[in-house]
Amino acid sequence: MNMNQLFNMFTRLIARRAMNWGINKGMDTLSGKKPGQRGQRRDKQTRDLARKMRTLSRLTRR
């Protein structure tokens, strides 16, 4: 492996983590929850919105 490949791999890893952090932060903000409360039960409207946002985030990553 050369230095360019290592640098690209490290950059992708950091970018992926930052994107996931941002998506989770945004979903917590939209649902009106504190950041540590992810995974708890939500009402139907919030679940639908979260599903749509996850789909949108998958489409924008491609």
Side-chain angles (χ1 to χ4, degrees):
M1 238 188 232
N2 62 25
M3 197 61 162
N4 191 31
Q5 288 174 320
L6 288 172
F7 181 74
N8 285 337
M9 185 170 55
F10 180 72
T11 304
R12 280 194 307 267
L13 180 104
I14 297 299
R16 188 179 316 121
R17 287 195 180 185
M19 184 173 289
N20 285 335
W21 177 83
I23 290 169
N24 289 336
K25 185 87 166 165
M27 293 308 298
D28 289 338
T29 302
L30 283 174
S31 64
K33 294 190 174 196
K34 295 178 183 166
Q37 293 180 340
R38 247 182 321 137
Q40 292 183 358
R41 190 179 160 141
R42 300 177 181 149
D43 59 356
K44 185 177 180 342
Q45 183 180 8
T46 307
R47 279 190 308 238
D48 289 341
L49 179 62
R51 182 178 46 79
K52 289 177 186 176
M53 292 301 290
R54 278 194 303 271
T55 305
L56 179 64
S57 68
R58 277 190 231 118
L59 290 174
T60 57
R61 287 184 207 160
R62 293 181 185 169

